[in-house]
Amino acid sequence: MRSALGWVAAAVLLSAVAFFLSGYYNDVYRKLLLWIALALSYNFLFGISGQVAFSHFAFYGIGAYAVVIFLFQLGMPLPLAILAGVLVCSAIALIVAIPSTRLEGFYLALATLALAQLFIVVLNEGGAVTGGTGGLVNYRLPAIFGVYITGPWYTAVIVILVLGTYALLRHLDRSWFGRACRAVRDNPEAAAAMGVNVARTKVIAFTLTSVLAGIAGMVYAFVDNTVNPPIFGLENAFLLLFMVIIGGSGRHAGAIVGAVLLYLLPFVLSPLIGHHHALVFGALMVVVILLQPRGLIGLYDRYPRGQKAH
Amino acid sequence: MRDLLELSVSAAASGCIYALVALAYLLMIRPTGVINFAVGEWAMVGAFGGFLLLSKYEWPYALGMAAVLGFMLLVGWITERIAVRPLVERGAPLLAAILALLGMLVVFREGISLGFGPDPHQVPEPVSFEYLKLFVIGATLVVFAAVWLFFERTLWGKAFEAVALNRRAAALMGIDLRRVTVASFAGGAAAAGLAGLLVAPNTSAHYLMGVPLAIQGFTALVIGGVGRVEGALLGGLLVAFAEQLTVRYAPLPSGYAQGVPLLLLMLFLLVRPTGLLRARA
Amino acid sequence: MTDILEARKLTKRFGGLTAVSELSFAVREREILGLIGPNGAGKSTTFNIIAGAYRADSGEISFLREPIAGLPPHEIARRGVMRTFQHNLPFEGMSVLENVLVGAHTRFGGNLFSRKAAAEEREQHAHAERLVEFVGLGELRYASVDRLSFGQGRLLEIARALAGAPKLILFDEPAAGLTRAEAQRIATVIRGIAERGIAVLLIEHDMHFLLPLAHRVVVLNFGAKIAEGTPDEVRSHPAVLDAYLGHAAAV
């Protein structure tokens, strides 16, 4: 009961922030929250489950496009469109994950790299369905029970998405499923000997996190009210990886720190080096891997860790 | 008929570019297991080297090409020293090196973008335009022949093979793993740089040219198989022919042709992950 | 006493080499059975077949009267056969206690979101703490596994295997690489496991470690069984002396 109150308080507090922000800062805040949601689920995939995949941002895009296409091209009602979007993400995730996880090594990384690129090709060439290079524009979130959710109220929807993602992943991480994922990451042979079905654990983790990315994408679709190919390029798949590694992979706090830092850094850096902030990201990535493999959150760990019994 | 011949020459030429990128991957993967996605950015660095020396300072082609390749050896060496060796010495997992190289990829690209700006730069062709494709094919064949001879006929090549088969045993045999690793990165950078230099007269030198090349080269490598040098060449040619035949004959929008190598890549990863050619026993 | 695990006519070839040939033996309830033999006798191959890592070319294995040959390792663990690794394979990113909790993987029910899940988690947590105490790593329960010595790592392997509440536990050369004192400690722990009513199958090539510990011994040479009996019977068996002394002379 107390923890439920905590979640509600967090939701109210984080949503309240939006009511004090002007339009531009509200937009920045919304995107920061979306990056945190993505970094959290990518951390579960990469950091906790140990799967190197480049498809996470593509699933964000698949979710965004899917919900818009289902709503406005096929005229589905909102709940059905969301459900159909989830099904599309699950189906694609399963098609990629089931064969890839049978194989050792970096096959998943390569197959998902190809998937991410293929997604962009399909978006560009999808004609009227995807809107081609221009994407899809001029739509808005349908009314829910006669109400149009806009402005800071929509930011509250994003807050609920982030907190829901976090609560779910934290619960999983602390359960036998999270331990199985870590075991598979650390030593698949020993994990199997402990009764863990390695292939199934990987497929479930991949599909679940991909669907979470897809749901975040559905929410994003009504932030800018446009979806177009450049938004979902491979660049952002790399950025997501950098966020998790620089923040500290395998830790929820690490993913949050990484997402906040790498999302806000360009605002600080752009007066200095224009749009070349990626140079700093790349260098930071190399330095962190070389000097602080546990990421920035690893620096914090040097303090006494009496509370870490959990 | 003439049409088909033209198409074949043109596909063979782009296939050779992919093959060189695949070769760059292969040179590093075989002895170290490291998949270095920065090969595409190395090709871009090679292309910009060509722009600088051949277009801007107007060096003679042969001299400029030699200087670019020499510089690429240095780039490969430095990359290995920064992003790979410290991790190998610490006993970090292979993945750490692969991720550090992804960081380097971004550093290369943004560094070039910072230095040369976002606009494409012209790079001159070595021979008159109608013979350019033949030059690309010829140069690639020379490189592949040399690499093949190196692996088959020289002691150093045997050392590479030994490391590829078993790092521990190779170390016990007295092969210096560090030297083999450094040499594989230097050689990989030179092969990638050559690909960039050769493709640049057609595509211009541009800071975003790397990732597509990296993916096409990788597809070629997966299709051909990591086990043998010839596999990279075969894979490169197959990818290019598949691409160009789709553009010409398939009833699809031309943009979808870019998707063909990606579908091939996924298909091969799922169905035949060892590639067409297997390593010799 | 009844047989808990029964192997019948196991055969495994690698290329032209027959590693295990027509091997039959049984592990009885509550006993410590030693599988012993010189290097290359086929012990490890037999072990890996039972644990599901290798597939036998022919022969059958039944555990609690059900066939298990050819099942994947995680299915075999699920049925109550847990194992340790000779070269210690801990989960490096986790604490000692978390490692043991992974061992309890098969003890958890399905639904992660039910009310029962939290109680189950607490229960397994407490059980894991007891197991960590039992093998003597209580002080290190929250330590990261990279702080353990090799011998402590072996104790962790045992606690992790016990967490699965096995009916049979397989030990792959548990004394290999340990000091004499550490090996004695492991022997004490293994006796304690048998006293809890868990059957033990032990692969070992060190006679000095195994003979005082095992209730019965099966001796292998060149993939075939050459003797079976109590440690005393085996010790004086001519075929065993022949096989072992021939090798011992070389050692």
Side-chain angles (χ1 to χ4, degrees), chain A residues 7 12 24 58 94 104 111 113 122 134 149 151-152 155 167 174-175 199 218 220 225 232 234 257 263 304 307-308:
Chain A
W7 289 108
V12 169
Y24 171 72
L94 287 172
E104 298 263 316
L113 195 63
V122 171
I149 300 174
T155 309
R174 292 177 172 185
S175 72
M218 293 180 201
Y220 166 74
N225 285 315
F232 302 112
L234 205 50
V257 167
Y263 181 70
Q307 296 294 310
K308 284 213 55 205

Side-chain angles (χ1 to χ4, degrees), chain B residues 136-147:
Chain B
V136 170
I137 296 169
T140 306
L141 289 179
V142 169
V143 169
F144 268 87
V147 174

Side-chain angles (χ1 to χ4, degrees), chain C residues 1-6 25-34 47 50 63-64 80-84 158 161-162 165-171 189-203 213-216:
Chain C
M1 275 195 278
T2 51
D3 295 338
I4 184 164
L5 179 102
E6 196 184 350
F25 66 91
V27 186
R28 296 172 188 160
E29 272 180 5
R30 314 177 81 88
E31 81 167 343
I32 302 176
L33 178 72
F47 187 98
I50 296 172
F63 177 69
L64 299 173
V81 182
M82 298 293 281
R83 64 167 293 183
T84 67
I158 297 173
L162 284 172
K167 301 183 187 78
L168 170 68
I169 182 163
L170 311 173
F171 285 97
V189 171
I190 292 175
R191 276 195 196 93
I193 291 169
E195 279 160 20
R196 292 172 160 220
I198 299 167
V200 172
L201 175 63
L202 202 64
I203 310 293
L213 184 61
H215 301 137
R216 284 192 315 127

Side-chain angles (χ1 to χ4, degrees), chain A residues 180-232:
Chain A
C181 287
R182 287 169 193 268
V184 166
R185 170 196 70 189
D186 286 351
N187 197 317
E189 190 189 353
M194 298 304 121
V196 177
N197 185 334
V198 173
R200 191 201 284 174
T201 304
K202 283 184 178 175
V203 169
I204 292 175
F206 182 83
T207 308
L208 178 92
T209 53
S210 298
V211 168
L212 283 175
I215 293 173
M218 293 180 201
V219 173
Y220 166 74
F222 303 99
V223 166
D224 285 339
N225 285 315
T226 167
V227 284
N228 53 66
I231 305 174
F232 302 112

Side-chain angles (χ1 to χ4, degrees), chain A residues 46 52 99 102-103 106-107 110-111 113-114 117-118 121 125 235 241-242 245 276 278-279 282-283 285-286 289-290 293, chain B residues 37 82 90 95-96 98-100 102-103 106-107 109-110 113-114 215 218 253 255-256 259 262 265-266 269-270 273:
Chain A
F46 170 79
V52 187
R102 274 186 323 179
L103 303 162
F106 298 103
Y107 289 103
L110 307 174
L113 195 63
Q117 288 289 91
L118 202 57
V121 172
E125 302 301 323
E235 285 307 291
L241 181 72
F242 289 9
I245 289 177
H276 295 287
L279 183 66
M285 170 89 164
V286 177
I289 292 175
L290 291 179
Chain B
F37 288 109
I82 293 177
R90 195 209 292 157
L95 180 61
I98 294 172
L99 296 175
L102 277 183
V106 174
V107 171
R109 185 178 53 206
E110 295 304 318
S113 153
L114 199 62
I215 290 179
F218 199 85
Y256 269 124
L262 299 167
L265 173 59
M266 290 180 82
L269 285 171
L270 304 182

